[in-house]
Amino acid sequence: MSATPRVLITDAADLDHTIALDLLSAAGFEATYLDSRDREEILAAARGCSGIILGYASLDAGMIAELPELRVIATMSAGFDMVDVRAAADAGITVCTVPSAATQDVATHAFAGMLALIRQIPRSQALTKAADWSGTGLPVPPRPGNLVLGLVGFGRIAQYLAELAAPAFKEIIAYDPFTPAEFWPASVRQAGLDEVLASANVLSLHTPLTPDTENLINTKALEAMPAGSYLVNVSRGGLVDEAALLAALDSGKLAGAMLDVLAREPAPADHPLVTHPSAIVTPHTAYRSDASLREYIALPARNVVAVLRGAEPETPLRVPAAAH
């Protein structure tokens, strides 16, 4: 490693990457920014770097193998599917995420989205813009107090969502085999995935994208849900089989879907879910707030500084032993 460690920041999107540059420079590191998700461009810029801060660009096993000086990878998100964490662990590289910078923001976005679906707010606004004040043709909305909210995953975001939603829904039921018992409030009933799917009038996804959860919500899962139910996804687009979801919306099996994430982003303007009358699609903005936008770029920089100084980072990703 050189006398002055080098750190690369890539693909910060709408985050102010100068915040990270300033923090890293103040710590005595040489920091550069590359506005690219291109594999070869990232590899070229990262050679000799001790740390990388990633937006949505990928860092696969082959890239990691070509970066022998790399000691820390910090994502600008709670998700880590853009990093081959097994390859990083095998190479002795610390991976850090941002698990809680936007907990309140993402949970609030999910709650607002499910209420907008149930209350038919986008369709209602379209009528008033067309000078139609009759409401004719709008589905009659169910009362949330008669509905069951199902959560797949019960980490920080889902826990905060449950606090927001408990007064509004008849019951909240959740599936998460990893969250310790002390984090389950009396207002949320723990159940298996099959029971959550079969019971949830509104299903909200809050789990990472892994090989085990890819296309978790597929044709079989959607068929198990109650007729006329709603799907909310503010986690990762790859959790949902989009063709199966489209078919469920077209058939009326699902009454609606609110998606802040899609499998491919940016999605084409004619994407069938973006244009579907029963879907609300937002441009991966659930995390946005004045507070979160700063922390999403500052925390990765602090994590990199800690690791390169030989200290414990604030939010290391704990890779299970089975993944090694």
Side-chain angles (χ1 to χ4, degrees), residues 130-197:
D132 182 350
W133 290 79
S134 68
T136 303
L138 283 177
V140 177
R143 179 173 290 172
N146 295 330
L147 303 180
V148 174
L149 170 61
L151 306 174
V152 177
F154 198 62
R156 293 177 179 88
I157 293 170
Q159 289 165 25
Y160 191 83
L161 173 59
E163 290 183 35
L164 294 175
F169 287 88
K170 179 176 73 174
E171 182 184 15
I172 301 178
I173 182 173
Y175 165 73
D176 191 323
F178 305 108
T179 297
E182 61 265 27
F183 292 99
W184 291 82
S187 60
V188 180
R189 182 165 65 86
Q190 187 173 10
L193 179 59
D194 289 345
E195 184 180 359
V196 171
L197 291 172

Side-chain angles (χ1 to χ4, degrees), residues 241-304:
D241 180 332
E242 293 181 353
L245 173 57
L246 185 64
L249 291 171
D250 285 342
S251 70
K253 171 65 177 182
L254 288 192
M258 196 290 286
L259 311 169
D260 187 54
V261 286
L262 293 170
R264 174 187 169 192
E265 297 174 8
D270 61 351
H271 190 292
L273 287 171
V274 172
T275 59
H276 201 285
S278 296
I280 300 171
V281 181
T282 53
H284 206 141
T285 52
Y287 67 94
R288 287 175 59 86
S289 73
D290 53 354
S292 67
L293 288 180
R294 176 176 175 82
E295 189 65 356
Y296 266 117
I297 192 71
L299 178 55
R302 296 198 303 269
N303 278 328
V304 167

Side-chain angles (χ1 to χ4, degrees), residues 78 98-104 156 295-296 299 315:
V98 185
S100 58
T103 296
Q104 295 183 30
R156 293 177 179 88
E295 189 65 356
Y296 266 117
L299 178 55
T315 53

Side-chain angles (χ1 to χ4, degrees), residues 16-250:
D16 183 359
H17 66 273
T18 63
I19 293 172
L21 288 174
D22 290 344
L23 286 169
L24 291 164
S25 296
F29 303 142
E30 179 185 333
T32 57
Y33 177 66
L34 176 68
D35 187 14
S36 175
R37 300 184 191 181
D38 181 80
R39 186 181 192 277
E40 295 307 318
E41 289 182 1
I42 292 171
L43 258 182
R47 296 192 192 282
C49 285
S50 302
I52 295 180
I53 297 176
L54 285 175
Y56 293 105
S58 295
L59 204 60
D60 58 43
M63 298 171 75
I64 290 170
E66 293 190 46
L67 301 172
E69 295 186 44
L70 193 59
R71 292 174 53 197
V72 57
I73 301 165
T75 71
M76 301 178 211
S77 66
F80 49 88
D81 48 286
M82 68 287 290
V83 179
D84 190 319
V85 294
R86 176 179 299 179
D90 289 345
I93 298 168
T94 300
V95 178
C96 301
T97 63
V98 185
S100 58
T103 296
Q104 295 183 30
D105 310 297
V106 177
T108 301
H109 198 90
F111 188 45
M114 61 184 67
L115 294 180
L117 282 175
I118 294 168
R119 295 301 307 168
Q120 297 289 329
I121 289 175
R123 287 183 174 181
S124 297
Q125 184 186 35
L127 289 181
T128 57
K129 285 187 173 181
D132 182 350
W133 290 79
S134 68
T136 303
L138 283 177
V140 177
R143 179 173 290 172
N146 295 330
L147 303 180
V148 174
L149 170 61
L151 306 174
V152 177
F154 198 62
R156 293 177 179 88
I157 293 170
Q159 289 165 25
Y160 191 83
L161 173 59
E163 290 183 35
L164 294 175
F169 287 88
K170 179 176 73 174
E171 182 184 15
I172 301 178
I173 182 173
Y175 165 73
D176 191 323
F178 305 108
T179 297
E182 61 265 27
F183 292 99
W184 291 82
S187 60
V188 180
R189 182 165 65 86
Q190 187 173 10
L193 179 59
D194 289 345
E195 184 180 359
V196 171
L197 291 172
S199 303
N201 305 109
V202 180
L203 185 71
S204 192
L205 308 182
H206 302 278
T207 189
L209 178 61
T210 69
D212 291 334
T213 62
E214 186 174 7
N215 287 334
L216 179 68
I217 305 304
N218 51 26
T219 298
K220 181 180 178 182
L222 292 168
E223 287 177 349
M225 293 175 63
S229 52
Y230 304 88
L231 177 69
V232 175
N233 187 11
V234 293
S235 294
R236 283 290 186 263
L239 298 173
V240 177
D241 180 332
E242 293 181 353
L245 173 57
L246 185 64
L249 291 171
D250 285 342

